[in-house]
Coordinates of all heavy atoms in Angstrom, one line a residue:
M5 N 100.4 116.4 103.5 CA 101.2 115.2 103.3 C 100.3 114.0 103.5 O 99.5 113.9 104.4 CB 102.3 115.1 104.3 CG 103.2 113.9 104.1 SD 104.2 113.8 102.6 CE 105.2 115.2 102.7
Y6 N 100.5 113.0 102.7 CA 99.5 111.7 102.7 C 100.5 110.6 102.8 O 101.7 110.6 102.3 CB 98.7 111.6 101.5 CG 97.6 112.8 101.6 CD1 97.8 114.0 101.2 CD2 96.3 112.4 102.2 CE1 96.8 114.9 101.2 CE2 95.3 113.3 102.2 CZ 95.6 114.6 101.8 OH 94.7 115.5 101.8
V7 N 100.1 109.5 103.3 CA 100.8 108.2 103.4 C 99.9 107.1 102.7 O 98.7 107.1 102.9 CB 101.2 107.8 104.7 CG1 100.1 107.5 105.6 CG2 102.0 106.6 104.8
V8 N 100.6 106.3 101.8 CA 99.9 105.2 101.3 C 100.6 104.0 101.8 O 101.8 103.8 101.7 CB 100.1 105.2 99.7 CG1 99.5 104.0 99.0 CG2 99.5 106.5 99.1
V9 N 99.7 103.2 102.4 CA 100.3 101.9 103.0 C 99.7 100.7 102.2 O 98.5 100.6 102.1 CB 99.8 101.8 104.5 CG1 100.3 100.4 105.1 CG2 100.2 102.9 105.2
F10 N 100.6 100.0 101.5 CA 100.3 98.8 100.7 C 100.6 97.6 101.5 O 101.8 97.4 102.0 CB 101.0 98.9 99.5 CG 100.9 97.6 98.6 CD1 99.9 97.5 97.7 CD2 101.8 96.6 98.6 CE1 99.8 96.4 96.9 CE2 101.7 95.4 97.8 CZ 100.6 95.4 96.9
K11 N 99.6 96.7 101.8 CA 100.0 95.5 102.5 C 99.5 94.3 101.7 O 98.4 94.3 101.0 CB 99.0 95.5 103.8 CG 99.6 96.6 104.8 CD 98.6 96.6 105.9 CE 97.2 97.2 105.6 NZ 96.4 97.5 106.7
A12 N 100.4 93.2 101.5 CA 100.1 92.1 100.7 C 100.5 90.8 101.3 O 101.4 90.8 102.0 CB 100.8 92.4 99.3
R13 N 99.7 89.8 100.9 CA 100.2 88.4 101.0 C 100.9 88.0 99.9 O 100.3 88.0 98.8 CB 99.0 87.5 101.4 CG 98.4 88.0 102.8 CD 97.9 86.9 103.7 NE 98.6 85.7 103.6 CZ 98.1 84.5 103.6 NH1 96.8 84.3 103.4 NH2 98.8 83.4 103.5
I14 N 102.1 87.4 99.9 CA 102.9 87.0 98.7 C 102.5 85.6 98.2 O 102.4 84.7 99.0 CB 104.3 87.1 99.1 CG1 104.8 88.5 99.5 CG2 105.2 86.6 97.9 CD1 106.1 88.6 100.1
N15 N 102.4 85.5 96.9 CA 102.2 84.3 96.3 C 103.6 83.8 95.9 O 104.1 82.7 96.4 CB 101.3 84.5 95.0 CG 101.0 83.2 94.4 OD1 100.9 82.1 95.0 ND2 101.0 83.1 93.1
A16 N 104.4 84.5 95.1 CA 105.7 84.2 94.7 C 106.3 85.4 94.0 O 105.7 86.2 93.2 CB 105.7 83.0 93.6
L17 N 107.5 85.7 94.5 CA 108.2 86.8 93.9 C 109.4 86.3 93.1 O 110.2 85.4 93.5 CB 108.7 87.8 95.1 CG 107.8 88.2 96.1 CD1 108.5 89.1 97.2 CD2 106.7 89.1 95.3
D18 N 109.6 86.9 92.0 CA 110.7 86.4 91.0 C 111.5 87.7 90.6 O 111.3 88.8 91.1 CB 110.0 85.7 89.8 CG 109.0 86.6 89.1 OD1 109.0 87.8 89.3 OD2 108.3 86.0 88.3
T19 N 112.5 87.5 89.8 CA 113.3 88.5 89.2 C 112.5 89.6 88.7 O 112.8 90.8 88.9 CB 114.4 88.0 88.3 OG1 115.2 87.0 89.0 CG2 115.4 89.0 87.9
A20 N 111.6 89.3 87.8 CA 110.8 90.3 87.3 C 109.9 91.2 88.3 O 109.9 92.4 88.1 CB 109.7 89.6 86.3
Y21 N 109.7 90.6 89.4 CA 108.9 91.4 90.4 C 110.0 92.5 91.1 O 109.6 93.7 91.1 CB 108.5 90.5 91.6 CG 108.2 91.3 92.9 CD1 107.1 92.0 93.0 CD2 109.3 91.5 93.8 CE1 106.8 92.7 94.1 CE2 109.0 92.3 95.0 CZ 107.8 92.9 95.0 OH 107.5 93.8 96.1
F22 N 111.1 92.1 91.3 CA 112.1 93.0 91.9 C 112.5 94.1 91.0 O 112.7 95.2 91.3 CB 113.5 92.3 92.5 CG 113.0 91.4 93.6 CD1 113.0 90.0 93.5 CD2 112.8 91.9 94.9 CE1 112.5 89.2 94.6 CE2 112.5 91.1 96.0 CZ 112.4 89.8 95.8
E23 N 112.7 93.7 89.7 CA 113.0 94.8 88.7 C 111.8 95.7 88.5 O 112.0 97.0 88.4 CB 113.3 94.1 87.3 CG 114.6 93.4 87.3 CD 114.7 92.5 86.1 OE1 113.8 92.4 85.2 OE2 115.9 91.8 86.0
T24 N 110.6 95.2 88.4 CA 109.5 96.1 88.3 C 109.2 97.0 89.5 O 108.9 98.1 89.4 CB 108.1 95.1 88.1 OG1 108.3 94.4 87.0 CG2 107.0 96.0 88.0
A25 N 109.4 96.4 90.7 CA 109.3 97.1 91.9 C 110.2 98.4 92.0 O 109.8 99.4 92.2 CB 109.4 96.2 93.2
E26 N 111.4 98.1 91.5 CA 112.4 99.2 91.5 C 112.0 100.3 90.5 O 112.2 101.4 90.8 CB 113.8 98.6 91.3 CG 114.9 99.8 91.2 CD 115.0 100.5 92.6 OE1 114.6 100.1 93.6 OE2 115.4 101.7 92.4
Q27 N 111.5 99.8 89.4 CA 111.2 100.8 88.3 C 110.0 101.6 88.7 O 110.0 102.8 88.5 CB 110.7 100.1 87.0 CG 112.0 99.4 86.3 CD 111.5 98.5 85.1 OE1 110.2 98.3 85.0 NE2 112.4 98.0 84.4
M28 N 109.0 100.9 89.5 CA 107.8 101.7 89.9 C 108.2 102.7 91.1 O 107.7 103.8 91.1 CB 106.8 100.7 90.5 CG 106.2 99.9 89.4 SD 105.3 100.8 88.0 CE 106.6 100.8 86.7
R29 N 109.1 102.3 91.9 CA 109.6 103.1 93.0 C 110.3 104.4 92.4 O 109.9 105.5 92.7 CB 110.6 102.5 93.9 CG 111.1 103.3 95.0 CD 112.0 102.5 96.0 NE 111.4 101.5 96.7 CZ 111.6 100.2 96.4 NH1 112.5 99.7 95.5 NH2 110.9 99.3 97.1
Q30 N 111.1 104.3 91.4 CA 111.8 105.4 90.7 C 110.8 106.3 90.0 O 111.0 107.6 90.0 CB 112.9 104.8 89.9 CG 114.1 104.2 90.7 CD 114.7 105.1 91.7 OE1 114.8 106.3 91.5 NE2 114.9 104.6 92.9
L31 N 109.9 105.7 89.3 CA 108.9 106.5 88.6 C 108.0 107.2 89.5 O 107.8 108.5 89.2 CB 108.0 105.5 87.7 CG 107.0 106.1 86.9 CD1 107.7 106.9 85.8 CD2 106.1 105.0 86.1
A32 N 107.5 106.6 90.6 CA 106.7 107.4 91.6 C 107.5 108.6 92.2 O 106.9 109.7 92.3 CB 106.3 106.5 92.8
I33 N 108.8 108.4 92.4 CA 109.6 109.6 93.1 C 109.9 110.5 91.9 O 109.8 111.8 92.1 CB 110.9 109.0 93.6 CG1 110.5 108.2 94.9 CG2 111.9 110.1 93.9 CD1 111.6 107.3 95.5
S34 N 110.3 110.2 90.8 CA 110.8 111.1 89.8 C 109.7 111.8 89.0 O 109.8 113.0 88.7 CB 111.7 110.5 88.6 OG 111.0 109.4 88.0
D35 N 108.5 111.1 88.8 CA 107.5 111.7 87.9 C 106.2 112.1 88.7 O 105.4 112.9 88.2 CB 107.0 110.8 86.9 CG 108.1 110.6 85.8 OD1 109.3 111.0 86.0 OD2 107.8 110.0 84.7
Y36 N 106.0 111.7 90.0 CA 104.7 111.9 90.6 C 104.9 112.4 91.9 O 103.9 112.6 92.6 CB 103.9 110.5 90.7 CG 103.4 110.2 89.2 CD1 104.3 109.2 88.4 CD2 102.3 110.7 88.8 CE1 103.9 109.0 87.2 CE2 101.9 110.3 87.5 CZ 102.7 109.5 86.7 OH 102.3 109.3 85.5
G37 N 106.0 112.9 92.4 CA 106.3 113.6 93.6 C 106.3 112.8 94.8 O 106.2 113.4 96.0
C38 N 106.3 111.5 94.8 CA 106.5 110.7 96.0 C 107.8 111.2 96.7 O 108.8 111.2 96.0 CB 106.6 109.2 95.6 SG 106.9 108.2 97.0
T39 N 107.7 111.4 98.0 CA 108.9 111.9 98.7 C 109.7 110.7 99.3 O 110.9 110.9 99.7 CB 108.5 112.9 99.7 OG1 107.6 112.4 100.7 CG2 107.8 114.1 99.1
E40 N 109.0 109.7 99.6 CA 109.7 108.5 100.2 C 109.0 107.2 100.0 O 107.7 107.4 99.9 CB 109.9 108.7 101.7 CG 110.6 107.7 102.5 CD 110.7 107.9 104.1 OE1 110.3 109.0 104.5 OE2 110.9 107.0 104.7
F41 N 109.6 106.2 99.7 CA 109.1 104.9 99.4 C 109.9 103.7 99.9 O 111.1 103.5 99.6 CB 108.9 104.8 97.8 CG 108.0 103.7 97.3 CD1 107.0 104.1 96.4 CD2 108.2 102.4 97.7 CE1 106.1 103.2 96.0 CE2 107.3 101.5 97.2 CZ 106.2 101.8 96.3
T42 N 109.4 103.1 100.8 CA 110.0 102.0 101.6 C 109.2 100.8 101.6 O 108.0 100.9 101.9 CB 110.3 102.5 103.1 OG1 110.9 103.7 103.1 CG2 111.2 101.4 103.8
A43 N 109.8 99.6 101.4 CA 109.1 98.4 101.3 C 109.9 97.3 102.1 O 111.2 97.3 102.2 CB 108.9 97.8 99.9
C44 N 109.1 96.4 102.8 CA 109.8 95.4 103.6 C 109.0 94.1 103.4 O 107.7 94.1 103.3 CB 109.7 95.8 105.0 SG 110.5 94.5 106.1
T45 N 109.7 93.0 103.2 CA 109.1 91.6 103.1 C 109.5 90.7 104.2 O 110.7 90.7 104.6 CB 109.5 90.9 101.7 OG1 109.1 92.0 100.7 CG2 108.8 89.6 101.6
E46 N 108.5 90.0 104.8 CA 108.8 89.1 106.0 C 108.0 87.9 105.8 O 106.7 88.1 105.8 CB 108.6 89.7 107.3 CG 109.1 88.8 108.4 CD 109.1 89.5 109.8 OE1 109.5 90.6 109.9 OE2 108.5 88.9 110.7
G47 N 108.6 86.8 105.6 CA 107.8 85.5 105.3 C 106.9 85.8 104.1 O 107.4 86.1 103.0
D48 N 105.6 85.5 104.3 CA 104.7 85.7 103.1 C 104.0 87.1 103.0 O 102.9 87.2 102.5 CB 103.7 84.5 102.9 CG 102.6 84.6 104.1 OD1 102.9 85.3 105.1 OD2 101.5 84.0 103.8
K49 N 104.5 88.1 103.7 CA 103.8 89.4 103.9 C 104.9 90.4 103.4 O 106.0 90.3 103.6 CB 103.5 89.7 105.3 CG 102.4 88.7 105.9 CD 102.0 89.0 107.2 CE 100.9 88.0 107.6 NZ 100.9 87.7 109.0
E50 N 104.2 91.4 102.7 CA 105.0 92.7 102.3 C 104.2 93.8 102.7 O 103.0 93.9 102.8 CB 105.2 92.6 100.8 CG 105.8 93.9 100.3 CD 105.9 93.8 98.8 OE1 104.9 94.2 98.0 OE2 107.0 93.4 98.2
I51 N 104.9 94.9 103.1 CA 104.3 96.1 103.3 C 105.2 97.1 102.7 O 106.4 97.1 102.7 CB 104.3 96.5 105.0 CG1 103.4 97.7 105.1 CG2 105.5 96.4 105.6 CD1 102.9 97.9 106.5
A52 N 104.5 98.2 102.0 CA 105.2 99.3 101.3 C 104.5 100.5 101.8 O 103.3 100.7 101.9 CB 105.1 99.2 99.9
I53 N 105.4 101.5 102.3 CA 104.9 102.8 102.7 C 105.5 103.9 101.9 O 106.7 103.9 101.7 CB 105.2 103.0 104.2 CG1 104.5 101.9 105.1 CG2 104.7 104.3 104.7 CD1 105.1 101.8 106.5
S54 N 104.6 104.7 101.4 CA 105.1 105.8 100.5 C 104.4 107.1 101.0 O 103.3 107.0 101.4 CB 104.9 105.6 99.0 OG 103.5 105.4 98.8
Y55 N 105.1 108.2 100.8 CA 104.6 109.5 101.3 C 104.4 110.4 100.0 O 105.4 110.5 99.2 CB 105.6 110.1 102.2 CG 105.6 109.4 103.6 CD1 106.5 108.4 103.8 CD2 104.6 109.7 104.7 CE1 106.6 107.6 104.9 CE2 104.7 109.1 105.8 CZ 105.7 108.0 105.9 OH 105.7 107.2 107.2
W56 N 103.3 111.2 100.1 CA 103.0 112.1 99.0 C 102.5 113.3 99.4 O 101.8 113.5 100.5 CB 101.8 111.4 98.2 CG 102.2 110.0 97.7 CD1 102.2 108.8 98.5 CD2 102.5 109.5 96.4 NE1 102.5 107.7 97.7 CE2 102.8 108.2 96.5 CE3 102.7 110.3 95.2 CZ2 103.3 107.6 95.3 CZ3 103.2 109.6 94.1 CH2 103.3 108.1 94.2
P57 N 102.8 114.5 98.7 CA 102.3 115.8 99.0 C 100.9 116.0 98.9 O 100.2 116.8 99.6 CB 103.1 116.7 98.1 CG 104.3 116.0 97.6 CD 103.8 114.5 97.7
S58 N 100.2 115.3 97.9 CA 98.7 115.5 97.7 C 98.0 114.3 97.2 O 98.6 113.3 96.6 CB 98.5 116.5 96.6 OG 98.9 116.1 95.3
L59 N 96.6 114.3 97.4 CA 95.8 113.2 96.9 C 95.9 113.2 95.2 O 95.9 112.2 94.7 CB 94.4 113.3 97.3 CG 94.2 113.0 98.9 CD1 92.8 113.3 99.2 CD2 94.5 111.5 99.1
E60 N 96.0 114.3 94.7 CA 96.0 114.4 93.3 C 97.3 113.6 92.7 O 97.1 113.0 91.6 CB 96.1 115.8 92.8 CG 94.8 116.7 93.0 CD 94.5 117.0 94.4 OE1 95.4 117.0 95.3 OE2 93.4 117.2 95.0
Q61 N 98.3 113.8 93.3 CA 99.5 113.0 92.9 C 99.3 111.5 93.1 O 99.8 110.8 92.2 CB 100.7 113.5 93.6 CG 101.3 114.9 93.2 CD 102.2 115.6 94.1 OE1 101.9 115.9 95.3 NE2 103.3 115.9 93.6
I62 N 98.7 111.1 94.1 CA 98.4 109.7 94.4 C 97.5 109.1 93.3 O 97.8 108.1 92.7 CB 97.8 109.5 95.7 CG1 98.9 109.8 96.9 CG2 97.4 108.0 95.9 CD1 98.3 109.9 98.2
K63 N 96.5 109.9 93.0 CA 95.6 109.5 92.0 C 96.2 109.4 90.6 O 95.9 108.5 89.8 CB 94.3 110.4 92.0 CG 93.4 110.3 93.1 CD 92.3 111.4 93.1 CE 91.6 111.4 94.4 NZ 90.6 112.4 94.4
A64 N 97.0 110.4 90.3 CA 97.8 110.4 88.9 C 98.7 109.1 89.0 O 98.8 108.5 87.9 CB 98.6 111.7 88.7
W65 N 99.4 108.9 90.0 CA 100.2 107.8 90.0 C 99.4 106.4 89.9 O 99.8 105.4 89.1 CB 101.0 107.7 91.4 CG 101.6 106.4 91.7 CD1 101.2 105.6 92.8 CD2 102.7 105.7 91.1 NE1 102.0 104.4 92.8 CE2 103.0 104.5 91.7 CE3 103.3 106.0 89.9 CZ2 103.9 103.7 91.3 CZ3 104.3 105.2 89.5 CH2 104.6 104.0 90.2
H66 N 98.3 106.3 90.5 CA 97.4 105.2 90.4 C 97.1 104.9 88.9 O 96.9 103.8 88.5 CB 96.2 105.4 91.2 CG 95.2 104.2 91.2 ND1 95.6 102.9 91.7 CD2 94.0 104.1 90.7 CE1 94.4 102.2 91.5 NE2 93.6 102.9 90.9
C67 N 96.8 106.0 88.1 CA 96.4 105.8 86.7 C 97.6 105.7 85.7 O 97.2 105.5 84.5 CB 95.5 107.1 86.5 SG 94.0 107.1 87.3
N68 N 98.8 105.7 86.2 CA 99.9 105.7 85.2 C 99.9 104.3 84.5 O 99.6 103.3 85.1 CB 101.2 105.9 86.0 CG 102.3 105.6 85.1 OD1 102.8 104.4 85.0 ND2 103.0 106.6 84.6
P69 N 100.0 104.3 83.2 CA 99.9 103.0 82.5 C 100.9 102.0 82.9 O 100.6 100.8 83.0 CB 100.1 103.5 81.0 CG 99.7 104.9 80.9 CD 100.1 105.5 82.3
Q70 N 102.1 102.3 83.2 CA 103.1 101.4 83.7 C 102.7 100.8 85.0 O 102.9 99.7 85.3 CB 104.5 102.1 83.7 CG 105.1 102.3 82.3 CD 106.5 103.1 82.6 OE1 106.4 104.3 82.7 NE2 107.5 102.3 82.5
H71 N 102.2 101.7 85.8 CA 101.8 101.3 87.2 C 100.6 100.3 87.2 O 100.6 99.4 87.8 CB 101.5 102.5 88.1 CG 101.3 102.2 89.5 ND1 100.2 102.8 90.2 CD2 101.8 101.2 90.4 CE1 100.3 102.4 91.4 NE2 101.1 101.4 91.5
R72 N 99.7 100.6 86.2 CA 98.5 99.8 86.0 C 99.0 98.4 85.5 O 98.4 97.3 85.9 CB 97.5 100.4 85.0 CG 97.0 101.7 85.4 CD 96.1 101.8 86.6 NE 94.8 101.5 86.1 CZ 93.7 101.4 86.9 NH1 94.0 101.7 88.2 NH2 92.6 101.3 86.5
A73 N 99.9 98.4 84.6 CA 100.5 97.1 84.1 C 101.2 96.2 85.3 O 100.9 95.1 85.4 CB 101.4 97.3 83.0
A74 N 101.9 97.0 86.2 CA 102.5 96.4 87.4 C 101.5 95.8 88.3 O 101.5 94.8 88.8 CB 103.4 97.3 88.0
Q75 N 100.4 96.6 88.5 CA 99.3 96.1 89.3 C 98.7 94.8 88.8 O 98.3 93.9 89.5 CB 98.2 97.2 89.4 CG 98.6 98.4 90.2 CD 97.6 99.6 90.1 OE1 96.5 99.4 89.5 NE2 97.8 100.7 90.6
R76 N 98.4 94.8 87.4 CA 97.9 93.6 86.8 C 98.8 92.3 87.1 O 98.3 91.2 87.5 CB 97.6 93.6 85.3 CG 96.4 94.3 84.9 CD 96.1 94.1 83.4 NE 97.1 94.7 82.6 CZ 97.4 95.9 82.4 NH1 96.7 96.9 82.9 NH2 98.4 96.3 81.6
L77 N 100.1 92.5 86.9 CA 101.0 91.4 87.2 C 100.9 91.0 88.6 O 101.1 89.8 89.0 CB 102.4 91.8 86.8 CG 102.8 91.8 85.3 CD1 104.1 92.4 85.1 CD2 102.7 90.5 84.8
G78 N 100.9 92.0 89.5 CA 100.8 91.7 91.0 C 99.5 90.8 91.2 O 99.7 89.7 92.1
K79 N 98.4 91.1 90.6 CA 97.2 90.3 90.9 C 97.3 89.0 90.3 O 96.9 88.0 90.9 CB 96.0 91.1 90.2 CG 95.5 92.3 91.0 CD 94.5 93.0 90.2 CE 94.2 94.3 90.9 NZ 93.1 95.1 90.1
E80 N 97.9 88.9 89.1 CA 98.1 87.6 88.4 C 99.1 86.7 88.9 O 98.9 85.5 88.9 CB 98.2 87.8 86.9 CG 97.2 88.6 86.2 CD 97.5 89.0 84.8 OE1 98.7 88.8 84.4 OE2 96.7 89.7 84.2
R81 N 100.4 87.3 89.4 CA 101.4 86.3 89.7 C 102.0 86.6 91.1 O 102.3 85.5 91.6 CB 102.7 86.7 88.7 CG 102.3 86.4 87.3 CD 103.3 86.9 86.3 NE 104.6 86.7 86.6 CZ 105.7 87.2 85.8 NH1 105.4 87.9 84.7 NH2 106.9 87.1 86.2
W82 N 102.2 87.7 91.5 CA 103.0 87.9 92.7 C 102.3 87.9 94.1 O 102.9 87.6 95.1 CB 103.7 89.2 92.7 CG 104.6 89.2 91.3 CD1 105.5 88.2 90.9 CD2 104.8 90.3 90.5 NE1 106.1 88.6 89.8 CE2 105.8 89.9 89.5 CE3 104.4 91.6 90.5 CZ2 106.2 90.8 88.5 CZ3 104.9 92.5 89.4 CH2 105.8 92.0 88.5
Y83 N 101.0 88.3 94.1 CA 100.3 88.4 95.4 C 99.0 87.5 95.5 O 98.3 87.4 94.5 CB 99.8 89.9 95.6 CG 100.8 90.9 95.5 CD1 101.1 91.9 94.7 CD2 102.0 90.7 96.5 CE1 102.1 92.8 94.7 CE2 103.0 91.6 96.5 CZ 103.1 92.6 95.7 OH 104.1 93.5 95.7
K84 N 98.8 86.9 96.6 CA 97.6 86.3 96.9 C 96.5 87.2 97.2 O 95.3 87.0 96.8 CB 97.7 85.3 98.1 CG 98.8 84.2 97.8 CD 98.8 83.4 99.2 CE 100.0 82.4 99.0 NZ 100.2 81.6 100.2
S85 N 96.8 88.3 97.8 CA 95.8 89.3 98.2 C 96.6 90.5 98.6 O 97.8 90.5 99.0 CB 94.9 88.8 99.4 OG 95.7 88.7 100.5
Y86 N 95.9 91.7 98.5 CA 96.5 92.9 99.0 C 95.5 93.9 99.3 O 94.3 93.8 99.0 CB 97.4 93.6 97.9 CG 96.8 94.0 96.7 CD1 96.4 95.4 96.6 CD2 96.4 93.2 95.6 CE1 95.7 95.9 95.5 CE2 95.8 93.7 94.6 CZ 95.4 94.9 94.5 OH 94.7 95.5 93.4
E87 N 95.9 94.9 100.0 CA 95.0 96.1 100.4 C 95.8 97.3 100.4 O 97.0 97.3 100.7 CB 94.2 95.9 101.6 CG 95.1 95.8 102.9 CD 94.2 95.6 104.2 OE1 93.9 94.3 104.3 OE2 93.9 96.5 104.9
V88 N 95.2 98.5 100.2 CA 95.7 99.7 100.2 C 95.0 100.7 101.0 O 93.9 100.8 101.0 CB 95.8 100.3 98.7 CG1 96.5 101.7 98.7 CG2 96.5 99.4 97.8
D89 N 95.7 101.4 102.0 CA 95.2 102.3 102.8 C 95.9 103.8 102.5 O 97.0 103.7 102.2 CB 95.4 102.1 104.4 CG 94.7 100.7 104.8 OD1 93.5 100.6 104.3 OD2 95.3 100.0 105.4
I90 N 95.1 104.7 102.5 CA 95.6 106.1 102.3 C 95.2 106.9 103.5 O 94.0 106.9 103.9 CB 95.1 106.8 101.0 CG1 95.5 105.9 99.8 CG2 95.6 108.3 100.9 CD1 94.9 106.3 98.5
A91 N 96.1 107.6 104.1 CA 95.7 108.6 105.3 C 96.5 109.8 105.3 O 97.5 110.0 104.7 CB 96.2 107.8 106.6
K92 N 95.9 110.9 105.8 CA 96.5 112.1 105.8 C 97.5 112.1 107.1 O 97.1 111.6 108.1 CB 95.4 113.2 106.0 CG 96.0 114.7 106.1 CD 95.0 115.7 105.9 CE 95.7 116.9 105.7 NZ 95.0 118.0 105.1
V93 N 98.6 112.7 106.9 CA 99.7 112.7 108.0 C 99.5 114.1 108.7 O 99.5 115.1 108.1 CB 101.1 112.6 107.5 CG1 102.1 112.7 108.6 CG2 101.2 111.3 106.7
L94 N 99.3 113.9 110.0 CA 99.0 115.2 110.8 C 100.4 115.8 111.3 O 101.2 114.9 111.7 CB 98.1 114.9 111.9 CG 96.7 114.4 111.6 CD1 96.0 114.1 112.8 CD2 96.0 115.5 110.7
P95 N 100.5 117.1 111.4 CA 101.8 117.7 111.7 C 102.0 117.4 113.4 O 101.1 117.2 114.1 CB 101.6 119.1 111.6 CG 100.2 119.4 111.3 CD 99.6 118.0 110.9

């Protein structure tokens, strides 16, 4: 099991952001094997934590065309900065 931790500084969130975030969450779960996806925003910070059975599924998700388009919008409109950490979850 792996965890992906997405941390961002928010520029501005709009209706399109919330719609896109929900679509991406559902796509990760339904098509790429994500087992849990939780996000929280406080002030100008956001953190999203998702769990995945394998690195291959994470890589496939990262390359999905819809996800890539959402990433571009994040860089252009929604986030000042962000970082992603991936770690193996130990039993």
Side-chain angles (χ1 to χ4, degrees):
M5 180 70 64
Y6 292 85
V7 63
V8 175
V9 181
F10 173 85
K11 298 176 279 189
R13 293 217 36 230
I14 297 169
N15 183 38
L17 302 181
D18 54 18
T19 303
Y21 164 81
F22 293 105
E23 291 171 358
T24 302
E26 180 58 26
Q27 290 171 355
M28 293 302 99
R29 180 180 293 111
Q30 292 307 317
L31 185 63
I33 291 168
S34 66
D35 290 12
Y36 290 92
C38 177
T39 60
E40 182 179 343
F41 196 122
T42 305
C44 180
T45 302
E46 184 175 316
D48 71 340
K49 294 183 180 142
E50 176 180 84
I51 187 167
I53 300 171
S54 57
Y55 293 90
W56 303 79
S58 73
L59 286 175
E60 291 74 23
Q61 288 164 299
I62 295 168
K63 290 175 187 174
W65 165 241
H66 179 71
C67 293
N68 173 277
Q70 288 176 279
H71 187 216
R72 300 293 270 183
Q75 290 172 6
R76 272 193 307 282
L77 285 171
K79 290 176 187 176
E80 294 169 2
R81 294 171 43 183
W82 300 320
Y83 300 121
K84 293 178 185 174
S85 63
Y86 70 90
E87 64 183 81
V88 178
D89 297 316
I90 300 172
K92 186 167 186 161
V93 177
L94 301 176

